[in-house]
Amino acid sequence: MAEAARKLDIVDVRPAFTQADADALNARFAGVETLTMLKALFAEGILGTTAVVSSFGTESAVLLHLVARADRSVPVIFVDTLKMFPETLAYREQLIAAFGIENSWVVEPDAAVLAAKDDKGLRWSYDPDGCCEIRKVEPLKRAKAGLDSWISGRKAFQSVTRQNLPRFEVEDGRLKINPLGDWVKPDLEAYFTEHDLPRHPLEAEGYLSIGCQPCTSKVQPGEDPRAGRWRGWEKVECGIHVAEKLGEEPVF
């Protein structure tokens, strides 16, 4: 198992994927079983330099297991915001070992930025968007700098902001793949059961969507699975799934 942090000085040279490329892939793989699709994508080199971005949350094991079955050498990126639950860090280690993942990358916030913009570590309490930008969006931007494409664990059912999610899309010139976009909760549960996958230890306590510890709460019966994220704020996404403009610098 390899651990590597992405360097700060990587130049972000973005590939030239177009919407036509995404449309063609969506047409080709329409109705194709997810594992079969992943094996073809990796074997044919369609994705170029690629990696999985995983939060190691309550549903992450399904995608990670599928990717490992298709090709264990595909890198898995984890953004450690330095505000994660200890249980999430332990779960990450557990899944990497259990699935035989060969390349795992950990990226963290820039220490200088934290010192300048969040020296008390409390930005989450008054500016959650700014906190996510510093601790999650910017580190992942660095990690993606050398990638032609990246693989996301998003699913359409998770929230209203993720409806009509295609398997393939283009974001900032990169191909973005959502292998589980059309999966629903029963599909995930069936896969967990069939393959006896380990569960995130906080799921049984009512945490259905898990991010940073200060901004994650338990989900009540009948609530949206992501209702426990940033409770009390008009915020539903951390920002990593929001396209940026080329050349645009993040606003901290």
Side-chain angles (χ1 to χ4, degrees), residues 97-146:
F99 300 162
I101 294 170
E102 297 175 359
N103 295 296
S104 59
W105 303 347
V106 179
V107 289
E108 297 180 353
D110 186 304
V113 172
L114 288 183
K117 303 295 183 180
D118 193 18
D119 62 318
K120 300 285 193 300
L122 295 174
R123 188 156 189 161
W124 61 269
S125 66
Y126 61 88
D127 180 20
D129 285 334
C131 187
C132 285
E133 184 69 50
I134 293 168
R135 293 181 177 273
K136 198 163 189 179
V137 178
E138 190 280 331
L140 183 58
K141 181 179 179 182
R142 278 187 272 120
K144 292 190 301 182

mmCIF file of all heavy atoms in Angstrom, residues 97-146:
data_model
loop_
_atom_site.group_PDB
_atom_site.id
_atom_site.type_symbol
_atom_site.label_atom_id
_atom_site.label_comp_id
_atom_site.label_asym_id
_atom_site.label_seq_id
_atom_site.Cartn_x
_atom_site.Cartn_y
_atom_site.Cartn_z
ATOM 1 N N ALA A 97 -6.968 -1.662 3.510
ATOM 2 C CA ALA A 97 -6.392 -2.979 3.761
ATOM 3 C C ALA A 97 -7.303 -4.097 3.268
ATOM 4 O O ALA A 97 -6.852 -5.062 2.628
ATOM 5 C CB ALA A 97 -6.113 -3.145 5.254
ATOM 6 N N ALA A 98 -8.603 -3.973 3.547
ATOM 7 C CA ALA A 98 -9.543 -5.029 3.194
ATOM 8 C C ALA A 98 -9.672 -5.222 1.685
ATOM 9 O O ALA A 98 -9.827 -6.350 1.205
ATOM 10 C CB ALA A 98 -10.917 -4.718 3.794
ATOM 11 N N PHE A 99 -9.601 -4.122 0.924
ATOM 12 C CA PHE A 99 -9.812 -4.201 -0.522
ATOM 13 C C PHE A 99 -8.506 -4.307 -1.309
ATOM 14 O O PHE A 99 -8.528 -4.420 -2.529
ATOM 15 C CB PHE A 99 -10.600 -2.980 -1.019
ATOM 16 C CG PHE A 99 -11.969 -2.822 -0.385
ATOM 17 C CD1 PHE A 99 -12.634 -1.603 -0.442
ATOM 18 C CD2 PHE A 99 -12.585 -3.875 0.271
ATOM 19 C CE1 PHE A 99 -13.883 -1.457 0.133
ATOM 20 C CE2 PHE A 99 -13.834 -3.735 0.859
ATOM 21 C CZ PHE A 99 -14.484 -2.512 0.793
ATOM 22 N N GLY A 100 -7.378 -4.240 -0.623
ATOM 23 C CA GLY A 100 -6.098 -4.351 -1.308
ATOM 24 C C GLY A 100 -5.783 -3.174 -2.207
ATOM 25 O O GLY A 100 -5.118 -3.330 -3.243
ATOM 26 N N ILE A 101 -6.247 -1.999 -1.845
ATOM 27 C CA ILE A 101 -5.994 -0.794 -2.641
ATOM 28 C C ILE A 101 -4.494 -0.503 -2.621
ATOM 29 O O ILE A 101 -3.881 -0.388 -1.563
ATOM 30 C CB ILE A 101 -6.801 0.398 -2.090
ATOM 31 C CG1 ILE A 101 -8.307 0.128 -2.299
ATOM 32 C CG2 ILE A 101 -6.386 1.703 -2.748
ATOM 33 C CD1 ILE A 101 -9.213 1.098 -1.592
ATOM 34 N N GLU A 102 -3.899 -0.367 -3.803
ATOM 35 C CA GLU A 102 -2.446 -0.271 -3.913
ATOM 36 C C GLU A 102 -1.915 1.157 -3.838
ATOM 37 O O GLU A 102 -0.744 1.356 -3.506
ATOM 38 C CB GLU A 102 -1.998 -0.924 -5.219
ATOM 39 C CG GLU A 102 -2.311 -2.420 -5.276
ATOM 40 C CD GLU A 102 -1.978 -3.039 -6.614
ATOM 41 O OE1 GLU A 102 -1.525 -2.290 -7.511
ATOM 42 O OE2 GLU A 102 -2.187 -4.257 -6.777
ATOM 43 N N ASN A 103 -2.720 2.128 -4.199
ATOM 44 C CA ASN A 103 -2.273 3.517 -4.205
ATOM 45 C C ASN A 103 -3.285 4.399 -3.471
ATOM 46 O O ASN A 103 -4.408 4.571 -3.943
ATOM 47 C CB ASN A 103 -2.107 4.042 -5.633
ATOM 48 C CG ASN A 103 -1.008 3.334 -6.381
ATOM 49 O OD1 ASN A 103 0.159 3.419 -6.005
ATOM 50 N ND2 ASN A 103 -1.371 2.608 -7.430
ATOM 51 N N SER A 104 -2.894 4.921 -2.345
ATOM 52 C CA SER A 104 -3.788 5.811 -1.594
ATOM 53 C C SER A 104 -3.075 7.128 -1.336
ATOM 54 O O SER A 104 -1.932 7.141 -0.873
ATOM 55 C CB SER A 104 -4.203 5.168 -0.261
ATOM 56 O OG SER A 104 -3.078 4.879 0.533
ATOM 57 N N TRP A 105 -3.740 8.206 -1.683
ATOM 58 C CA TRP A 105 -3.174 9.534 -1.505
ATOM 59 C C TRP A 105 -3.937 10.270 -0.416
ATOM 60 O O TRP A 105 -5.168 10.207 -0.369
ATOM 61 C CB TRP A 105 -3.287 10.360 -2.786
ATOM 62 C CG TRP A 105 -2.655 9.769 -4.006
ATOM 63 C CD1 TRP A 105 -1.794 8.718 -4.072
ATOM 64 C CD2 TRP A 105 -2.849 10.216 -5.352
ATOM 65 N NE1 TRP A 105 -1.437 8.469 -5.369
ATOM 66 C CE2 TRP A 105 -2.071 9.369 -6.184
ATOM 67 C CE3 TRP A 105 -3.599 11.232 -5.941
ATOM 68 C CZ2 TRP A 105 -2.016 9.532 -7.567
ATOM 69 C CZ3 TRP A 105 -3.552 11.395 -7.311
ATOM 70 C CH2 TRP A 105 -2.764 10.548 -8.122
ATOM 71 N N VAL A 106 -3.231 10.963 0.413
ATOM 72 C CA VAL A 106 -3.847 11.821 1.421
ATOM 73 C C VAL A 106 -3.404 13.254 1.161
ATOM 74 O O VAL A 106 -2.203 13.515 1.043
ATOM 75 C CB VAL A 106 -3.440 11.407 2.850
ATOM 76 C CG1 VAL A 106 -4.077 12.349 3.874
ATOM 77 C CG2 VAL A 106 -3.862 9.974 3.130
ATOM 78 N N VAL A 107 -4.344 14.149 1.040
ATOM 79 C CA VAL A 107 -4.013 15.562 0.887
ATOM 80 C C VAL A 107 -4.610 16.332 2.059
ATOM 81 O O VAL A 107 -5.690 15.991 2.550
ATOM 82 C CB VAL A 107 -4.510 16.142 -0.450
ATOM 83 C CG1 VAL A 107 -3.696 15.610 -1.600
ATOM 84 C CG2 VAL A 107 -5.986 15.854 -0.664
ATOM 85 N N GLU A 108 -3.894 17.346 2.492
ATOM 86 C CA GLU A 108 -4.313 18.140 3.644
ATOM 87 C C GLU A 108 -4.330 19.618 3.276
ATOM 88 O O GLU A 108 -3.720 20.026 2.279
ATOM 89 C CB GLU A 108 -3.360 17.916 4.819
ATOM 90 C CG GLU A 108 -3.339 16.493 5.343
ATOM 91 C CD GLU A 108 -2.374 16.322 6.506
ATOM 92 O OE1 GLU A 108 -1.626 17.297 6.810
ATOM 93 O OE2 GLU A 108 -2.351 15.228 7.101
ATOM 94 N N PRO A 109 -4.979 20.437 4.088
ATOM 95 C CA PRO A 109 -4.959 21.883 3.847
ATOM 96 C C PRO A 109 -3.541 22.425 3.934
ATOM 97 O O PRO A 109 -2.692 21.876 4.637
ATOM 98 C CB PRO A 109 -5.833 22.445 4.975
ATOM 99 C CG PRO A 109 -6.645 21.288 5.464
ATOM 100 C CD PRO A 109 -5.809 20.076 5.248
ATOM 101 N N ASP A 110 -3.291 23.516 3.225
ATOM 102 C CA ASP A 110 -2.006 24.192 3.272
ATOM 103 C C ASP A 110 -1.829 24.821 4.651
ATOM 104 O O ASP A 110 -2.661 25.615 5.095
ATOM 105 C CB ASP A 110 -1.980 25.269 2.183
ATOM 106 C CG ASP A 110 -0.627 25.941 2.048
ATOM 107 O OD1 ASP A 110 -0.130 26.465 3.058
ATOM 108 O OD2 ASP A 110 -0.086 25.962 0.932
ATOM 109 N N ALA A 111 -0.751 24.475 5.320
ATOM 110 C CA ALA A 111 -0.522 24.966 6.685
ATOM 111 C C ALA A 111 -0.452 26.488 6.744
ATOM 112 O O ALA A 111 -0.945 27.111 7.693
ATOM 113 C CB ALA A 111 0.759 24.360 7.244
ATOM 114 N N ALA A 112 0.148 27.096 5.727
ATOM 115 C CA ALA A 112 0.259 28.554 5.715
ATOM 116 C C ALA A 112 -1.109 29.211 5.576
ATOM 117 O O ALA A 112 -1.393 30.240 6.205
ATOM 118 C CB ALA A 112 1.180 28.999 4.581
ATOM 119 N N VAL A 113 -1.965 28.612 4.762
ATOM 120 C CA VAL A 113 -3.315 29.155 4.586
ATOM 121 C C VAL A 113 -4.108 29.015 5.880
ATOM 122 O O VAL A 113 -4.830 29.936 6.295
ATOM 123 C CB VAL A 113 -4.040 28.444 3.426
ATOM 124 C CG1 VAL A 113 -5.507 28.876 3.368
ATOM 125 C CG2 VAL A 113 -3.354 28.745 2.107
ATOM 126 N N LEU A 114 -3.982 27.871 6.534
ATOM 127 C CA LEU A 114 -4.676 27.686 7.808
ATOM 128 C C LEU A 114 -4.205 28.713 8.835
ATOM 129 O O LEU A 114 -5.016 29.290 9.573
ATOM 130 C CB LEU A 114 -4.436 26.274 8.349
ATOM 131 C CG LEU A 114 -5.136 25.120 7.634
ATOM 132 C CD1 LEU A 114 -4.832 23.808 8.357
ATOM 133 C CD2 LEU A 114 -6.632 25.337 7.550
ATOM 134 N N ALA A 115 -2.927 28.945 8.883
ATOM 135 C CA ALA A 115 -2.384 29.903 9.845
ATOM 136 C C ALA A 115 -2.906 31.308 9.580
ATOM 137 O O ALA A 115 -3.183 32.083 10.511
ATOM 138 C CB ALA A 115 -0.863 29.894 9.793
ATOM 139 N N ALA A 116 -3.070 31.641 8.305
ATOM 140 C CA ALA A 116 -3.516 32.982 7.940
ATOM 141 C C ALA A 116 -5.030 33.149 8.005
ATOM 142 O O ALA A 116 -5.526 34.232 8.347
ATOM 143 C CB ALA A 116 -3.030 33.322 6.529
ATOM 144 N N LYS A 117 -5.767 32.097 7.697
ATOM 145 C CA LYS A 117 -7.209 32.225 7.536
ATOM 146 C C LYS A 117 -8.044 31.495 8.584
ATOM 147 O O LYS A 117 -9.249 31.734 8.690
ATOM 148 C CB LYS A 117 -7.618 31.705 6.145
ATOM 149 C CG LYS A 117 -6.910 32.400 4.985
ATOM 150 C CD LYS A 117 -7.284 33.870 4.896
ATOM 151 C CE LYS A 117 -6.630 34.520 3.688
ATOM 152 N NZ LYS A 117 -6.977 35.956 3.573
ATOM 153 N N ASP A 118 -7.430 30.581 9.328
ATOM 154 C CA ASP A 118 -8.205 29.823 10.327
ATOM 155 C C ASP A 118 -7.285 29.418 11.481
ATOM 156 O O ASP A 118 -7.234 28.255 11.870
ATOM 157 C CB ASP A 118 -8.836 28.593 9.665
ATOM 158 C CG ASP A 118 -9.912 27.940 10.542
ATOM 159 O OD1 ASP A 118 -10.404 28.606 11.479
ATOM 160 O OD2 ASP A 118 -10.258 26.772 10.277
ATOM 161 N N ASP A 119 -6.577 30.394 12.038
ATOM 162 C CA ASP A 119 -5.586 30.081 13.059
ATOM 163 C C ASP A 119 -6.194 29.512 14.327
ATOM 164 O O ASP A 119 -5.555 28.749 15.048
ATOM 165 C CB ASP A 119 -4.761 31.327 13.385
ATOM 166 C CG ASP A 119 -5.602 32.465 13.947
ATOM 167 O OD1 ASP A 119 -6.709 32.700 13.426
ATOM 168 O OD2 ASP A 119 -5.149 33.114 14.903
ATOM 169 N N LYS A 120 -7.460 29.838 14.608
ATOM 170 C CA LYS A 120 -8.135 29.306 15.791
ATOM 171 C C LYS A 120 -8.847 27.979 15.499
ATOM 172 O O LYS A 120 -9.338 27.319 16.409
ATOM 173 C CB LYS A 120 -9.166 30.308 16.319
ATOM 174 C CG LYS A 120 -8.592 31.665 16.722
ATOM 175 C CD LYS A 120 -7.855 31.590 18.038
ATOM 176 C CE LYS A 120 -7.569 32.985 18.592
ATOM 177 N NZ LYS A 120 -6.747 33.817 17.682
ATOM 178 N N GLY A 121 -8.956 27.629 14.223
ATOM 179 C CA GLY A 121 -9.643 26.397 13.842
ATOM 180 C C GLY A 121 -11.146 26.457 14.009
ATOM 181 O O GLY A 121 -11.807 25.421 14.103
ATOM 182 N N LEU A 122 -11.702 27.655 14.016
ATOM 183 C CA LEU A 122 -13.138 27.832 14.270
ATOM 184 C C LEU A 122 -13.898 28.443 13.092
ATOM 185 O O LEU A 122 -15.047 28.845 13.244
ATOM 186 C CB LEU A 122 -13.351 28.701 15.506
ATOM 187 C CG LEU A 122 -12.864 28.105 16.832
ATOM 188 C CD1 LEU A 122 -12.993 29.139 17.948
ATOM 189 C CD2 LEU A 122 -13.664 26.854 17.161
ATOM 190 N N ARG A 123 -13.268 28.518 11.939
ATOM 191 C CA ARG A 123 -13.939 29.158 10.808
ATOM 192 C C ARG A 123 -15.245 28.441 10.443
ATOM 193 O O ARG A 123 -16.183 29.061 9.948
ATOM 194 C CB ARG A 123 -13.003 29.227 9.610
ATOM 195 C CG ARG A 123 -13.557 30.057 8.466
ATOM 196 C CD ARG A 123 -12.501 30.610 7.564
ATOM 197 N NE ARG A 123 -13.074 31.549 6.620
ATOM 198 C CZ ARG A 123 -12.377 32.455 5.962
ATOM 199 N NH1 ARG A 123 -11.075 32.559 6.153
ATOM 200 N NH2 ARG A 123 -12.969 33.265 5.115
ATOM 201 N N TRP A 124 -15.274 27.155 10.688
ATOM 202 C CA TRP A 124 -16.482 26.385 10.394
ATOM 203 C C TRP A 124 -17.710 26.950 11.111
ATOM 204 O O TRP A 124 -18.836 26.818 10.629
ATOM 205 C CB TRP A 124 -16.299 24.917 10.822
ATOM 206 C CG TRP A 124 -16.052 24.749 12.297
ATOM 207 C CD1 TRP A 124 -14.837 24.722 12.918
ATOM 208 C CD2 TRP A 124 -17.039 24.625 13.332
ATOM 209 N NE1 TRP A 124 -14.994 24.577 14.284
ATOM 210 C CE2 TRP A 124 -16.340 24.517 14.563
ATOM 211 C CE3 TRP A 124 -18.422 24.586 13.347
ATOM 212 C CZ2 TRP A 124 -16.993 24.379 15.779
ATOM 213 C CZ3 TRP A 124 -19.080 24.446 14.565
ATOM 214 C CH2 TRP A 124 -18.363 24.348 15.768
ATOM 215 N N SER A 125 -17.515 27.592 12.275
ATOM 216 C CA SER A 125 -18.623 28.044 13.105
ATOM 217 C C SER A 125 -19.273 29.339 12.627
ATOM 218 O O SER A 125 -20.405 29.643 13.011
ATOM 219 C CB SER A 125 -18.157 28.218 14.555
ATOM 220 O OG SER A 125 -17.209 29.271 14.660
ATOM 221 N N TYR A 126 -18.555 30.098 11.780
ATOM 222 C CA TYR A 126 -19.134 31.356 11.300
ATOM 223 C C TYR A 126 -19.055 31.529 9.784
ATOM 224 O O TYR A 126 -19.718 32.397 9.220
ATOM 225 C CB TYR A 126 -18.446 32.556 11.981
ATOM 226 C CG TYR A 126 -16.960 32.674 11.723
ATOM 227 C CD1 TYR A 126 -16.473 33.374 10.611
ATOM 228 C CD2 TYR A 126 -16.040 32.091 12.581
ATOM 229 C CE1 TYR A 126 -15.111 33.473 10.367
ATOM 230 C CE2 TYR A 126 -14.669 32.191 12.346
ATOM 231 C CZ TYR A 126 -14.214 32.891 11.240
ATOM 232 O OH TYR A 126 -12.860 32.984 11.008
ATOM 233 N N ASP A 127 -18.274 30.700 9.109
ATOM 234 C CA ASP A 127 -18.132 30.788 7.653
ATOM 235 C C ASP A 127 -17.866 29.393 7.093
ATOM 236 O O ASP A 127 -16.748 29.081 6.694
ATOM 237 C CB ASP A 127 -16.977 31.737 7.307
ATOM 238 C CG ASP A 127 -16.764 31.869 5.801
ATOM 239 O OD1 ASP A 127 -17.696 31.556 5.032
ATOM 240 O OD2 ASP A 127 -15.645 32.289 5.396
ATOM 241 N N PRO A 128 -18.889 28.534 7.075
ATOM 242 C CA PRO A 128 -18.657 27.160 6.616
ATOM 243 C C PRO A 128 -18.197 27.070 5.169
ATOM 244 O O PRO A 128 -17.408 26.188 4.825
ATOM 245 C CB PRO A 128 -20.005 26.473 6.826
ATOM 246 C CG PRO A 128 -20.997 27.590 6.895
ATOM 247 C CD PRO A 128 -20.287 28.743 7.505
ATOM 248 N N ASP A 129 -18.661 27.982 4.306
ATOM 249 C CA ASP A 129 -18.200 27.959 2.920
ATOM 250 C C ASP A 129 -16.701 28.238 2.847
ATOM 251 O O ASP A 129 -15.964 27.561 2.130
ATOM 252 C CB ASP A 129 -18.957 28.998 2.083
ATOM 253 C CG ASP A 129 -20.370 28.562 1.756
ATOM 254 O OD1 ASP A 129 -20.623 27.339 1.710
ATOM 255 O OD2 ASP A 129 -21.234 29.430 1.544
ATOM 256 N N GLY A 130 -16.255 29.249 3.588
ATOM 257 C CA GLY A 130 -14.838 29.575 3.598
ATOM 258 C C GLY A 130 -14.004 28.462 4.190
ATOM 259 O O GLY A 130 -12.886 28.186 3.737
ATOM 260 N N CYS A 131 -14.537 27.809 5.206
ATOM 261 C CA CYS A 131 -13.832 26.694 5.829
ATOM 262 C C CYS A 131 -13.671 25.535 4.847
ATOM 263 O O CYS A 131 -12.585 24.960 4.713
ATOM 264 C CB CYS A 131 -14.585 26.239 7.077
ATOM 265 S SG CYS A 131 -13.700 24.996 8.047
ATOM 266 N N CYS A 132 -14.747 25.198 4.129
ATOM 267 C CA CYS A 132 -14.677 24.128 3.134
ATOM 268 C C CYS A 132 -13.692 24.480 2.023
ATOM 269 O O CYS A 132 -12.965 23.609 1.532
ATOM 270 C CB CYS A 132 -16.059 23.873 2.537
ATOM 271 S SG CYS A 132 -17.210 22.980 3.607
ATOM 272 N N GLU A 133 -13.667 25.746 1.631
ATOM 273 C CA GLU A 133 -12.751 26.170 0.570
ATOM 274 C C GLU A 133 -11.294 25.928 0.977
ATOM 275 O O GLU A 133 -10.492 25.403 0.211
ATOM 276 C CB GLU A 133 -12.970 27.651 0.258
ATOM 277 C CG GLU A 133 -12.140 28.179 -0.892
ATOM 278 C CD GLU A 133 -12.547 27.616 -2.235
ATOM 279 O OE1 GLU A 133 -13.744 27.641 -2.558
ATOM 280 O OE2 GLU A 133 -11.651 27.143 -2.958
ATOM 281 N N ILE A 134 -10.985 26.299 2.196
ATOM 282 C CA ILE A 134 -9.617 26.169 2.695
ATOM 283 C C ILE A 134 -9.234 24.716 2.945
ATOM 284 O O ILE A 134 -8.140 24.269 2.592
ATOM 285 C CB ILE A 134 -9.457 26.956 4.013
ATOM 286 C CG1 ILE A 134 -9.585 28.455 3.771
ATOM 287 C CG2 ILE A 134 -8.134 26.632 4.687
ATOM 288 C CD1 ILE A 134 -9.736 29.250 5.056
ATOM 289 N N ARG A 135 -10.140 23.982 3.570
ATOM 290 C CA ARG A 135 -9.796 22.654 4.068
ATOM 291 C C ARG A 135 -10.104 21.513 3.100
ATOM 292 O O ARG A 135 -9.555 20.417 3.246
ATOM 293 C CB ARG A 135 -10.510 22.406 5.407
ATOM 294 C CG ARG A 135 -10.014 23.300 6.522
ATOM 295 C CD ARG A 135 -10.720 23.023 7.850
ATOM 296 N NE ARG A 135 -10.173 23.860 8.908
ATOM 297 C CZ ARG A 135 -9.123 23.565 9.662
ATOM 298 N NH1 ARG A 135 -8.505 22.410 9.470
ATOM 299 N NH2 ARG A 135 -8.694 24.377 10.600
ATOM 300 N N LYS A 136 -10.969 21.755 2.110
ATOM 301 C CA LYS A 136 -11.357 20.659 1.234
ATOM 302 C C LYS A 136 -11.182 20.986 -0.251
ATOM 303 O O LYS A 136 -10.547 20.230 -0.985
ATOM 304 C CB LYS A 136 -12.813 20.264 1.504
ATOM 305 C CG LYS A 136 -13.178 18.883 0.968
ATOM 306 C CD LYS A 136 -14.455 18.378 1.609
ATOM 307 C CE LYS A 136 -14.706 16.923 1.243
ATOM 308 N NZ LYS A 136 -15.942 16.401 1.893
ATOM 309 N N VAL A 137 -11.737 22.114 -0.670
ATOM 310 C CA VAL A 137 -11.722 22.436 -2.098
ATOM 311 C C VAL A 137 -10.306 22.675 -2.608
ATOM 312 O O VAL A 137 -9.889 22.102 -3.619
ATOM 313 C CB VAL A 137 -12.617 23.660 -2.387
ATOM 314 C CG1 VAL A 137 -12.552 24.026 -3.876
ATOM 315 C CG2 VAL A 137 -14.062 23.375 -1.978
ATOM 316 N N GLU A 138 -9.555 23.524 -1.922
ATOM 317 C CA GLU A 138 -8.201 23.846 -2.382
ATOM 318 C C GLU A 138 -7.268 22.635 -2.334
ATOM 319 O O GLU A 138 -6.534 22.389 -3.310
ATOM 320 C CB GLU A 138 -7.640 25.018 -1.572
ATOM 321 C CG GLU A 138 -6.335 25.589 -2.128
ATOM 322 C CD GLU A 138 -5.095 24.788 -1.753
ATOM 323 O OE1 GLU A 138 -5.105 24.147 -0.681
ATOM 324 O OE2 GLU A 138 -4.137 24.776 -2.549
ATOM 325 N N PRO A 139 -7.279 21.838 -1.266
ATOM 326 C CA PRO A 139 -6.430 20.642 -1.280
ATOM 327 C C PRO A 139 -6.771 19.673 -2.414
ATOM 328 O O PRO A 139 -5.875 19.112 -3.049
ATOM 329 C CB PRO A 139 -6.693 20.003 0.092
ATOM 330 C CG PRO A 139 -7.097 21.152 0.959
ATOM 331 C CD PRO A 139 -7.894 22.051 0.061
ATOM 332 N N LEU A 140 -8.071 19.496 -2.673
ATOM 333 C CA LEU A 140 -8.450 18.587 -3.747
ATOM 334 C C LEU A 140 -8.073 19.159 -5.106
ATOM 335 O O LEU A 140 -7.692 18.419 -6.018
ATOM 336 C CB LEU A 140 -9.955 18.291 -3.701
ATOM 337 C CG LEU A 140 -10.442 17.289 -4.752
ATOM 338 C CD1 LEU A 140 -9.702 15.959 -4.629
ATOM 339 C CD2 LEU A 140 -11.950 17.063 -4.626
ATOM 340 N N LYS A 141 -8.147 20.467 -5.241
ATOM 341 C CA LYS A 141 -7.718 21.106 -6.484
ATOM 342 C C LYS A 141 -6.262 20.764 -6.768
ATOM 343 O O LYS A 141 -5.883 20.466 -7.902
ATOM 344 C CB LYS A 141 -7.900 22.615 -6.384
ATOM 345 C CG LYS A 141 -7.516 23.381 -7.641
ATOM 346 C CD LYS A 141 -7.750 24.867 -7.449
ATOM 347 C CE LYS A 141 -7.349 25.657 -8.683
ATOM 348 N NZ LYS A 141 -7.538 27.112 -8.497
ATOM 349 N N ARG A 142 -5.423 20.782 -5.743
ATOM 350 C CA ARG A 142 -4.028 20.401 -5.906
ATOM 351 C C ARG A 142 -3.897 18.935 -6.316
ATOM 352 O O ARG A 142 -3.097 18.569 -7.168
ATOM 353 C CB ARG A 142 -3.266 20.639 -4.602
ATOM 354 C CG ARG A 142 -2.809 22.065 -4.389
ATOM 355 C CD ARG A 142 -1.915 22.147 -3.164
ATOM 356 N NE ARG A 142 -2.652 22.367 -1.927
ATOM 357 C CZ ARG A 142 -2.646 21.560 -0.897
ATOM 358 N NH1 ARG A 142 -1.988 20.422 -0.948
ATOM 359 N NH2 ARG A 142 -3.320 21.856 0.201
ATOM 360 N N ALA A 143 -4.689 18.102 -5.668
ATOM 361 C CA ALA A 143 -4.610 16.663 -5.938
ATOM 362 C C ALA A 143 -5.034 16.326 -7.360
ATOM 363 O O ALA A 143 -4.499 15.402 -7.981
ATOM 364 C CB ALA A 143 -5.483 15.904 -4.942
ATOM 365 N N LYS A 144 -5.991 17.086 -7.899
ATOM 366 C CA LYS A 144 -6.499 16.816 -9.245
ATOM 367 C C LYS A 144 -5.637 17.425 -10.338
ATOM 368 O O LYS A 144 -5.862 17.161 -11.526
ATOM 369 C CB LYS A 144 -7.924 17.358 -9.387
ATOM 370 C CG LYS A 144 -8.964 16.633 -8.564
ATOM 371 C CD LYS A 144 -10.379 17.054 -8.939
ATOM 372 C CE LYS A 144 -10.619 18.525 -8.755
ATOM 373 N NZ LYS A 144 -12.006 18.921 -9.084
ATOM 374 N N ALA A 145 -4.638 18.223 -9.968
ATOM 375 C CA ALA A 145 -3.865 18.968 -10.953
ATOM 376 C C ALA A 145 -3.227 18.084 -12.016
ATOM 377 O O ALA A 145 -3.105 18.474 -13.162
ATOM 378 C CB ALA A 145 -2.801 19.816 -10.259
ATOM 379 N N GLY A 146 -2.809 16.887 -11.635
ATOM 380 C CA GLY A 146 -2.165 15.992 -12.596
ATOM 381 C C GLY A 146 -3.091 14.964 -13.210
ATOM 382 O O GLY A 146 -2.628 14.032 -13.870
#
